[in-house]
Amino acid sequence: MSIILYDLAGADPALRFSPYCWRTRFALAHKGLPVETVPWRFTEREAIAFSGQNRVPVIRDGERVVFDSWTIAGYLEETYPAPSIFGTGGQAHAQFINAWADSVLVNAIARFIIRDLLDVIHEKDRDYFRSSREQRFGATLEAVQEGRAGRIAAFREILLPLRLVLRRQAWFGGDAPSYADHILAGTLMWPRSVSRFELLDPSDPVASWFDRVLDLYGGLGRSAACA
Ligand SMILES: N[C@@H](CCC(=O)N[C@@H](CS)C(=O)NCC(=O)O)C(=O)O
């Protein structure tokens, strides 16, 4: 039986762009677990009310309901240990990557794509998205995204730790991809899906690594819809 994943979608139901849902997609693919995704929009609170909260990803695995990408990763690892998405000791180390991606990376990327995002989400989500995000940033979506070309060099500098790791190893998991790769790549699937703005310098080793991730799991990332 397939695992059901409630997955954030745009106006085009094929457009899936949540940095957190993508982490779960990669983790499920890594484990070779069949998944059925259900497109979900920001304002469809009632559709995931059974999970007791209002964010995606949410998975339903038979009788079990699990939400929050990190909790889902732990659940999948415990329930379906092989192949591991963490490797020995990897879960503890990936916790830092998860925290860094959720705080530093997600917030930094938002400033480059937040207005583009408004154009691809479902019409019924637009008022909610604009008001909730403008409250969060304390500025209009237009003002948050403004001047991005002039800020991109500073953004690319914060990726330096990733670059340093990739000088020594092909994957954040070491010799093979692990959930650390899924966290970072899932986060980068978000701008890739919703915006044409070139966030990564194509000559950056981070861009080459991301390109390799796109080909994993039968090209799951590469074949994903983009705006
Ligand atoms: N810590 C959560 C974050 C999940 C999250 O923020 N999901 C966003 C979609 S990318 C969401 O559902 N937002 C609903 C809203 O903003 O109302 C995780 O890792 O799964």
Side-chain angles (χ1 to χ4, degrees):
M1 195 170 54
S2 291
I3 291 176
I4 311 289
L5 167 66
Y6 289 79
D7 191 7
L8 185 61
D12 172 0
L15 187 73
R16 307 300 172 87
F17 58 87
S18 160
Y20 305 104
C21 294
W22 268 108
R23 298 175 196 185
T24 300
R25 289 290 299 277
F26 284 134
L28 287 164
H30 185 113
K31 288 190 173 289
L33 293 168
V35 60
E36 193 184 309
T37 66
V38 178
W40 179 86
R41 272 59 178 242
F42 287 108
T43 46
E44 293 173 354
R45 301 284 164 123
E46 71 292 345
I48 55 166
F50 65 87
S51 69
Q53 53 87 63
N54 54 22
R55 285 170 186 263
V56 292
V58 174
I59 62 162
R60 195 192 272 282
D61 184 14
E63 295 297 300
R64 287 295 305 269
V65 171
V66 190
F67 64 89
D68 183 87
S69 57
W70 179 260
T71 309
I72 292 170
Y75 166 79
L76 294 176
E77 186 73 353
E78 209 181 303
T79 313
Y80 307 99
S84 172
I85 48 169
F86 290 116
T88 314
Q91 190 159 0
H93 291 159
Q95 184 108 49
F96 170 77
I97 306 267
N98 204 59
W100 181 78
D102 287 2
S103 50
V104 177
L105 197 54
V106 165
N107 284 321
I109 293 174
R111 293 183 151 75
F112 291 88
I113 61 163
I114 199 85
R115 179 58 186 81
D116 292 348
L117 238 165
L118 188 70
D119 292 333
V120 304
I121 62 178
H122 199 285
E123 213 181 304
K124 69 180 179 180
D125 282 353
R126 288 189 185 150
D127 286 348
Y128 163 74
F129 185 79
R130 182 181 276 284
S131 61
S132 60
R133 271 48 181 184
E134 290 189 346
Q135 193 177 3
R136 191 179 296 171
F137 285 100
T140 63
L141 300 184
E142 287 73 13
V144 174
Q145 190 174 291
E146 200 185 317
R148 60 184 173 178
R151 297 184 274 108
I152 191 64
F155 168 79
R156 290 173 180 167
E157 270 176 36
I158 69 164
L159 304 179
L160 179 63
L162 305 186
R163 221 165 275 136
L164 294 176
V165 172
L166 292 170
R167 258 190 219 160
R168 292 171 173 268
Q169 57 196 53
W171 305 100
F172 293 95
D175 294 337
S178 75
Y179 192 66
D181 295 87
H182 303 156
I183 295 165
L184 297 165
T187 306
L188 290 171
M189 286 301 289
W190 176 41
R192 181 181 194 271
S193 311
V194 303
S195 175
R196 299 284 171 88
F197 185 73
E198 197 164 66
L199 205 62
L200 300 177
D201 174 347
S203 68
D204 187 339
V206 176
S208 316
W209 158 83
F210 186 47
D211 209 51
R212 293 199 302 279
V213 175
L214 294 177
D215 287 330
L216 292 173
Y217 319 124
L220 178 65
R222 194 173 301 285
S223 61
C226 292

